[in-house]
Amino acid sequence: MATDWVQWRREVFGDPYLVWHEGADFAELRRRAGTEPDVVTAWISAGLRERDAVAAQAVAESGLPELPGLLKQQMIDASGVFAVRGAQALFRLTGDAAWVRPVVDVLIGADHWGDRLDAAIALAEFPATPFVVASVALATADEDELVRHHATETLEKLRRKSRS
């Protein structure tokens, strides 16, 4: 039985390196959410308090109704990849394109290239509005080559999306 968020996260989502590199596998989370929803709610809530990006993603994957409100509370002053994953989850759950703002804030203002990279990739999931396109276009001049590369790829995805 897990005694802290980090241990529970490992049990449910797997090795932290693989989760970071390959993305989390949410199959075990969904199974547990179906059989022990109160336990899952408590652990995901703990992860949200820790500002863990996987916890933010898990909100959308769990299907548990208490969690979106808790995530919204944590998004008030969220930053970095937690803000990106939280905004993606809330956009997915609500369809409200206003959740793009925290992602753009990370893309344009984060100090760490990894956070900007995640934001550049995530913006491909949002509607191709002039605001989103202009923000991603700015990132094509980022100081980091990987951010520039992924911003360019996202611009192409947004272009295709706007034509369909």
Side-chain angles (χ1 to χ4, degrees):
M1 180 94 182
T3 58
D4 67 4
W5 163 250
V6 173
Q7 184 180 359
W8 192 84
R9 182 187 196 269
R10 181 183 280 274
E11 284 177 20
V12 173
F13 304 110
D15 178 80
Y17 174 78
L18 293 176
V19 169
W20 169 77
H21 193 263
E22 305 296 328
D25 179 355
F26 294 102
E28 178 65 11
L29 173 76
R30 289 186 206 102
R31 187 192 69 71
R32 290 186 186 201
T35 61
E36 49 188 15
D38 293 340
V39 172
V40 171
T41 298
W43 280 116
I44 298 301
S45 298
L48 292 174
R49 287 189 301 275
E50 294 286 326
R51 301 296 176 102
D52 188 292
V54 174
Q57 290 175 292
V59 169
E61 297 290 338
S62 72
L64 297 171
E66 302 85 4
L67 293 174
L70 297 173
L71 177 56
K72 285 179 185 177
Q73 291 172 6
Q74 293 297 323
M75 290 295 291
I76 292 170
D77 60 352
S79 61
V81 72
F82 179 78
V84 171
R85 299 296 177 243
Q88 285 177 291
L90 290 167
F91 173 64
R92 184 171 155 202
L93 290 168
T94 67
D96 183 355
W99 285 110
V100 75
R101 187 66 202 194
V103 183
V104 169
D105 289 347
V106 171
L107 178 66
I108 302 303
D111 290 335
H112 193 273
W113 66 269
D115 293 343
R116 296 192 312 274
L117 173 84
D118 286 345
I121 294 168
L123 284 167
E125 297 176 19
F126 288 86
T129 64
F131 173 69
V132 171
V133 171
S135 300
V136 176
L138 281 175
T140 63
D142 192 273
E143 65 189 52
D144 186 84
E145 179 181 357
L146 281 174
V147 175
R148 291 191 309 269
H149 170 78
H150 284 286
T152 301
E153 285 188 347
T154 293
L155 276 178
E156 178 58 25
K157 290 174 184 175
L158 292 170
R159 184 191 66 77
R160 285 194 304 264
K161 186 185 289 189
S162 68
R163 287 188 169 182
S164 56

